[in-house]
Amino acid sequence: MKKHCFALDLVDNANLIEEYKAYHRAVWPEIIKSIKDSGIEDLEIFQVGNRLFMIMKVNESFSFEKKNDTDANNPKVQEWETLMWKYQQALPIAKKGEKWMLMEKIFQL
């Protein structure tokens, strides 16, 4: 299984961060289905301050291109993404339109 790690910031507002966390305690079933159907077998999000780290383990059927295309054509995923953007903000190094940024692995024990 392959692992991908991403980073993203939240808007630095304690109330909004708590709302964001509440949404993630009860992720919509359509979003869970979309994640699993894409070949993502395990997904975790960690938070420190207003920074998020996402660790995604995928099977051999997963591809970023396929996931992006499927998500773009799924109204419920688009609704979720629009809602989440209320709480999220791009990393300072992000290019226009970039959201979750793929991280480079630089060490492994």
Side-chain angles (χ1 to χ4, degrees):
M1 204 172 327
K2 192 164 185 173
K3 183 176 9 179
H4 301 287
C5 299
F6 301 84
L8 177 69
D9 283 347
L10 292 172
V11 173
D12 199 4
N13 175 296
N15 291 332
L16 290 177
I17 290 172
E18 286 306 313
E19 284 181 33
Y20 184 84
K21 289 165 66 173
Y23 272 109
H24 283 80
R25 286 190 291 273
V27 175
W28 302 345
E30 299 90 346
I31 304 307
I32 299 295
K33 181 178 182 341
S34 170
I35 290 168
K36 290 180 176 181
D37 288 352
S38 73
I40 298 170
E41 297 203 2
D42 187 48
L43 191 145
E44 299 173 298
I45 299 175
F46 296 85
Q47 176 219 348
V48 60
N50 72 317
R51 177 114 337 139
L52 299 175
F53 295 97
M54 179 169 59
I55 301 169
M56 189 170 78
K57 293 180 184 172
V58 301
N59 65 33
E60 64 284 342
S61 72
F62 177 83
S63 87
F64 287 111
E65 296 79 16
K66 187 172 80 173
K67 176 77 171 127
N68 290 338
D69 289 345
T70 303
D71 287 352
N73 293 302
N74 183 325
K76 204 65 175 175
V77 170
Q78 291 306 305
E79 182 183 352
W80 175 266
E81 290 299 327
T82 300
L83 176 61
M84 291 302 104
W85 197 239
K86 170 184 175 183
Y87 306 100
Q88 300 167 334
Q89 62 182 1
L91 294 176
I93 61 168
K95 296 176 186 149
K96 185 176 178 158
E98 282 186 315
K99 201 171 178 179
W100 285 99
M101 294 191 68
L102 186 60
M103 299 172 72
E104 174 187 3
K105 180 162 91 172
I106 62 167
F107 175 78
Q108 181 171 348
L109 183 63

